[in-house]
Structure formats: C-alpha cells, structure tokens
Amino acid sequence: MPRFETALHFPDAEATAAFGRRLASLLAPGDVVLLSGPIGAGKSHLARACIAARLEVEGRVEDIPSPTFTLVQVYEVAGCEIWHADLYRLTHSDELVELGLEDAFASAICLIEWPDRLGDLAPAGALSIALSAAPDDSRTARLSSDDPRWAARLDGGTP
C-alpha cells in the first residue's frame, strides 16, 4: 500500500503552533492524529493550537488543559467532538476500552499523545506526527500515514 511520508522543520514554538492551526482546518470527524515524541517535543503544544483554532472559528476562547491527569479532554465544535488524549499513564491497551477511544475514532477528531500505548488499537489511516526537539528550541515533525490521501490534504488538495 502506498505510504505518505514527509518531514517539516519548525524554527520555534510559534511555527509549531502555526502548523497546529493549519492542521485544524483540515481535520474532519473520523480523523485521528497520533502525536509521538519525547517529553518536551511539542505534542501538547501542537494539539492545543489545533483545538484553539477550531474553537476560535466559533468565536470561543477556552482554557485547553493538558489531559495528562484526566487522560482525555473532549471539546464540542461545529457539530463534532475533538478528543485530546494523553495516554502516557496507561499501562495496558485494555484501559482504552474504558476511555471510549475506539468509538471516538469513528466519529470524532482525535488527537492522541503517546500513541504507542494504543498497541493494536491504533486505527488504520491515522496521520502520525513524530516530533523531536533540538537544543535551539526548533522542532522537526515527521509526518506519515498508510493513507495516501493525507498528502493531498496537507498540500491543500481535497481528501
């Protein structure tokens, strides 16, 4: 199966947030974005920018806390939900059933931090974004998916 892969460089935190805002405009219900990378790589920063952009379209400004302790934060936007999950504290993929993530994958926009915790439950067609940080506060994002439609979507084409 064709695979989409590309790398982006973000010189600072604002560039990472700008990409999150751009990504927000491309996402639709059923889209899953898997955010991986070490602590401090910018996963939460990117997810928060994405969520804030979707809220802003509706004229809303809300606190967007990290779901590190709650595991999942859910936001209602324009007739759909955005699920922001931080799976760092999960120890087994069985715990995901309790969170309801599998159902959300089909109907919500899902931004998942620490997706390695999903195991076999990681959905096909998800957009994976692996972030890494450099000492100068720049970031590299390696984007990939087994769904080649992501290439067109991220290039400004249609899904």
Side-chain angles (χ1 to χ4, degrees):
M1 173 176 282
R3 183 167 178 82
F4 161 70
E5 292 183 24
T6 193
L8 302 173
H9 178 75
F10 306 130
D12 54 30
E14 178 48 39
T16 304
F19 175 72
R21 291 188 296 271
R22 179 172 172 251
L23 181 62
S25 68
L26 304 174
L27 297 175
D31 285 338
V32 178
V33 179
L34 306 174
L35 299 163
S36 62
I39 293 172
K43 299 178 297 295
S44 292
H45 188 70
L46 193 150
R48 286 178 176 149
C50 187
I51 295 163
R54 290 298 286 255
L55 293 170
E56 191 175 291
V57 167
E58 299 179 358
R60 296 166 48 200
V61 176
E62 292 182 22
D63 182 39
I64 303 169
S66 172
T68 299
F69 296 105
T70 59
L71 301 179
V72 175
Q73 293 288 131
V74 179
Y75 303 87
E76 284 283 336
V77 293
C80 79
E81 292 181 333
I82 298 176
W83 285 48
H84 181 197
D86 183 331
L87 307 181
Y88 182 75
R89 295 184 318 117
L90 293 186
T91 57
H92 196 275
S93 60
D94 289 347
E95 295 170 284
L96 295 168
V97 174
E98 294 174 30
L99 295 176
L101 273 177
E102 285 185 284
D103 293 333
F105 289 157
S107 61
I109 295 169
C110 295
L111 306 171
I112 310 295
E113 297 185 45
W114 302 97
D116 57 305
R117 306 309 200 264
L118 290 170
D120 293 339
L121 298 177
L127 175 63
S128 294
I129 302 176
L131 292 157
S132 59
D136 66 357
D137 203 31
S138 67
R139 303 280 188 270
T140 298
R142 299 195 188 289
L143 286 66
S144 64
S145 179
D146 57 7
D147 185 343
R149 293 180 301 156
W150 280 107
R153 291 171 79 180
L154 290 165
D155 265 353
T158 57

